[in-house]
Amino acid sequence: MPLVRPFRAITYNRDLGPDISRLIAPPYDVVDAAMRAELLSRDPRNIVAIDLPEGSDDPDAPDYRYRAAHDLWRRWQEDGVLTPDESPALYLLEQDWEHEGRPVRRRALLAAVRIHSFEEGVIVPHERTLPKAIADRLELTRACAANLSPVFGLYSDPAGEAEAVLDAAGTGAPLFEAVGDDAARSRLWTVRDHRAIAALAQVLADKQVFIADGHHRYTVAVAYRDERRAQDAAAGVERRDPAYDYVLMALVNMDDPELLVLATHRVARARGAFDPDAFFDALAERFVLEPASASDIAKLDAIERPAFLVATKSGDLRLAVLRDDVDLDEAIPLPASHHWKSLDVAVLQELVLRPVLGIHPDEPETLERLSFVKDTRAALEVPGGDVAFVLRPTRMEQLKAVALAGEKMPQKSTYFHPKLPTGLVFHALD
């Protein structure tokens, strides 16, 4: 069976114009109440109205929010705000932006990707999921019977075979374009040429797909598929290759040198009063500590051992490098691979956050004392915390090694910039 196939997307009506900047939104998990209100102030038809519905969590309440999402999703189609594409197709998404003064481009193939359970080893995760987020996305998927935003997937194509096909597709005027709040410009083209579709399907036929972002959405897609299969079996209905056997994915070549992975920094609060001297004394048991400045973030890439910058609220900034005499296999007595134990985020989690600050994902009540910051300068100000840890990005080979070992990285180990916008195309599951 093919891994990818064309699908008949639902999109915003082209009569709304090719520029749909006012209609797209960031992924649901980065939108807070203020951002939601701002997006809807630009246009009440912004997709955030459905992707993050407001209302009660009580299914019996008249303003049950998932029922509201269902009603709005259907009404927008009936009113022509959303329309089905004329025929099944693949879609080329090109995003360009500026990073540290240089232009960057990323290309993704939007396709319906056949769902495989993680045990099959075709779709490979690398991060843990949280039950609350899965429950929310599953209810929304049930309400709308659609994938509203794509899962971000990576495949290996060092020869650039797919890229050569996409080069030909990305010509002419795009179907839609939009600029997000992150200043990234997204442009979307339709790929209908049968030879191009066949060539892309062949290139991707035997690939593994590594989930870069969207683990919760993919986990929900598996659960929803299994639900629909059980419902059909109970009703005696047989379907041939149903849409719910597929999930909307944006597939990106992980061998593209322009693929940008950034770090997500940590800000932590102590359980009680924070004692900087005692904290650094505890850290010195396993790390070499040196005075540092903000510019030392550039030095991290040259350090082979796990390392990060540590900043306290009082303004003390130090470079922490794991000591040469620390054996990670002994220091982290977990049934995990050496690849996992060598991750900066894993070393921070197991050798600092847990033993020194009492914060660990296996103890959910402690996570309220941990927050995440993407901007380095902002992290160094230790917003809302006692101590901040400035990390370097997880490398692509590390992600691949850990994922292939069947392991999950700590939460927010990778940040693929920019985020994929929600609102360009939707994948109906009926």
Side-chain angles (χ1 to χ4, degrees), residues 97-104:
W97 67 98
E98 190 172 280
H99 178 66
E100 297 180 346
R102 66 180 179 90
V104 185

Side-chain angles (χ1 to χ4, degrees), residues 15-263:
D15 291 342
L16 296 172
D19 186 343
I20 58 171
S21 300
R22 69 194 187 281
L23 302 173
I24 66 165
Y28 73 98
D29 55 349
V30 299
V31 177
D32 59 17
M35 182 183 292
R36 184 183 188 278
E38 167 61 23
L39 291 167
L40 290 173
S41 72
R42 300 172 191 174
D43 195 309
R45 299 165 296 185
N46 187 286
I47 190 57
V48 77
I50 297 175
D51 202 33
L52 278 178
E54 280 193 324
S56 171
D57 288 327
D58 181 0
D60 296 325
D63 63 339
Y64 182 48
R65 62 196 191 97
Y66 299 108
R67 186 182 305 114
H70 166 88
D71 293 345
L72 197 54
W73 172 250
R74 296 302 176 190
R75 184 162 68 249
W76 283 5
Q77 292 179 70
E78 292 167 0
D79 295 346
V81 175
L82 300 175
T83 59
D85 204 349
E86 60 190 62
S87 61
L90 299 176
Y91 300 86
L92 166 62
L93 170 61
E94 183 174 283
Q95 294 179 281
D96 56 81
W97 67 98
E98 190 172 280
H99 178 66
E100 297 180 346
R102 66 180 179 90
V104 185
R105 183 190 72 168
R106 183 176 73 196
R107 280 180 162 178
L109 178 68
L110 287 165
V113 175
R114 181 173 292 280
I115 295 170
H116 291 266
S117 64
F118 290 142
E119 292 75 18
E120 295 175 76
V122 177
I123 310 296
V124 186
H126 78 272
E127 283 192 355
R128 299 171 66 160
T129 54
L130 302 174
K132 184 177 180 181
I134 290 174
D136 165 59
R137 291 298 98 180
L138 182 54
E139 285 299 328
L140 186 66
T141 304
R142 288 167 176 158
C144 298
N147 301 139
L148 299 181
S149 54
V151 175
F152 188 163
L154 301 169
Y155 64 93
S156 181
D157 181 20
E161 295 178 83
E163 190 74 12
V165 181
L166 295 176
D167 280 339
T171 58
L175 178 65
F176 292 115
E177 59 183 300
V179 177
D181 289 349
D182 56 6
R185 180 181 64 158
S186 297
R187 294 186 293 168
L188 188 78
W189 286 268
T190 306
V191 182
R192 297 194 199 278
D193 181 82
H194 294 300
R195 288 174 295 181
I197 290 173
L200 289 167
Q202 182 174 0
V203 169
L204 296 167
D206 60 351
K207 301 291 187 185
Q208 285 182 303
V209 176
F210 298 85
I211 298 178
D213 195 12
H215 287 79
H216 293 94
R217 278 163 277 173
Y218 189 83
T219 302
V220 163
V222 176
Y224 183 78
R225 178 203 63 178
D226 294 346
E227 278 188 5
R228 292 289 300 270
R229 284 181 173 179
Q231 291 167 3
D232 284 347
V237 175
E238 292 186 12
R239 301 183 192 273
R240 184 176 181 274
D241 217 20
Y244 60 68
D245 273 0
Y246 294 80
V247 63
L248 176 62
M249 270 199 176
L251 299 170
V252 174
N253 182 7
M254 67 194 309
D255 299 304
D256 183 348
E258 290 196 289
L259 183 60
L260 187 61
V261 187
L262 304 179

